[in-house]
Amino acid sequence: MIVSATDVTRRYGTGEATVDALRGVSVAFPPGQFTAIMGPSGSGKSTLMHILAGLDRPTEGSVVIDGTEIVGLDDAALTQLRRDKLGFIFQSFNLLPVLTAEENILLPLSIAGRKPDKAWVDTLIATVGLGDRLTHRPAELSGGQQQRVAVARALASRPAVVFADEPTGNLDSKTSDEVLQLLRRSVDEFGQTIVMVTHDPESAKIADRLLVLSDGLLAEDSAGVAPTPAAGAAPTADAGA
Ligand code: ADP
């Protein structure tokens, strides 16, 4: 498993303001799988993704990313692990406006002090179809082109996992489809592992596996791994204990 979470809870606030955003989630992601996470607003999708990606810490439970238990790592170690092992795609693209498309794609590598693998970067640029836009700044690109730059940026370091948070939330349906197909290709052709939060059932169809969160619990997992029983769910058969 590339990423696994075990018995993860996340509580915000104290006293009357306490919110249990995650109430005990266990889930694991094998390499080369494209997973979509859905669920109503407030069900804990962002919280789960942030915890899986080491951007937030669980109140209880364990998270292992590519063999490293991240609970207990200090901030510097966590930052380095994110830089070395993870790629991120956001709804709002998050490109740096002063940099060209190519510079944006290479930025995470340069921050990490790593030399770009030229052949790989060329492959990515060809795959995302940006060969003739490399010297353009984000403001000179359409939303779809900007998100394709962001996809190439996320893949450039060959991360263990790419986390995508509503990656098509700001795109029209045709452009969304292009970006989703691009993510799909990165899984099929490069063996990329992707975890994507989306509220759009159409977008979720591109994934291999669908997780549904409900009120801080895993209510559904199309991979068939026994989910945590959700509140109100039918009682499961006694496991023969
Ligand atoms: P989703 O992404 O499914 O909309 P979130 O993970 O953002 O859900 O939120 C889950 C719950 O946790 C919600 O009730 C939300 O209000 C609460 N929550 C999220 N972030 C915070 C925070 N920083 N402080 C307090 N409550 C929060």
Side-chain angles (χ1 to χ4, degrees):
M1 294 291 165
I2 288 275
V3 177
S4 59
T6 309
D7 298 332
V8 164
T9 65
R10 179 66 167 99
R11 170 169 285 191
Y12 293 110
T14 51
E16 296 212 336
T18 298
V19 176
D20 287 305
L22 295 176
R23 300 192 293 134
V25 171
S26 297
V27 63
F29 302 88
Q33 190 176 67
F34 192 162
T35 302
I37 302 179
M38 294 192 73
S41 181
S43 58
K45 302 181 296 295
S46 306
T47 300
L48 178 61
M49 166 164 286
H50 288 158
I51 286 175
L52 292 172
L55 292 164
D56 185 16
R57 295 171 187 275
T59 304
E60 291 172 302
S62 145
V63 177
V64 176
I65 298 178
D66 203 16
T68 302
E69 169 62 67
I70 65 168
V71 173
L73 287 186
D74 64 23
D75 286 346
L78 204 49
T79 301
Q80 183 169 357
L81 179 128
R82 280 200 306 269
R83 205 176 61 194
D84 293 345
K85 305 221 181 217
L86 306 181
F88 292 93
I89 301 169
F90 303 95
Q91 178 171 359
S92 50
F93 319 137
N94 287 20
L95 301 177
L96 286 191
V98 297
L99 300 184
T100 66
E102 184 172 33
E103 288 164 347
N104 267 288
I105 292 169
L106 297 176
L107 185 66
L109 289 171
S110 37
I111 290 175
R114 281 163 62 185
K115 261 212 161 73
D117 172 347
K118 174 106 176 46
W120 173 242
V121 172
D122 287 349
T123 301
L124 278 178
I125 288 168
T127 305
V128 300
L130 288 166
D132 57 349
R133 292 286 186 280
L134 289 180
T135 59
H136 290 54
R137 297 222 162 77
E140 300 159 346
L141 300 171
S142 69
Q145 288 168 338
Q146 289 185 59
Q147 196 59 309
R148 286 190 273 142
V149 171
V151 171
R153 176 180 62 181
L155 298 175
S157 63
R158 298 175 179 273
V161 191
V162 167
F163 289 98
D165 194 356
E166 300 275 7
T168 61
N170 278 331
L171 303 176
D172 61 48
S173 67
K174 179 173 172 288
T175 315
S176 291
D177 201 48
E178 283 168 17
V179 168
L180 292 168
Q181 291 299 339
L182 189 56
L183 294 176
R184 183 72 246 172
R185 279 184 69 185
S186 76
V187 174
D188 295 340
E189 296 175 23
F190 311 136
Q192 185 62 58
T193 309
I194 299 182
V195 179
M196 171 178 79
V197 165
T198 180
H199 63 259
D200 174 25
E202 278 305 308
S203 299
K205 282 185 190 159
I206 198 99
D208 302 309
R209 177 185 184 188
L210 175 64
L211 301 178
V212 180
L213 282 180
S214 170
D215 197 18
L217 291 169
L218 194 53
E220 208 178 303
D221 180 354
S222 68
V225 180
T228 324
T236 45
D238 189 279

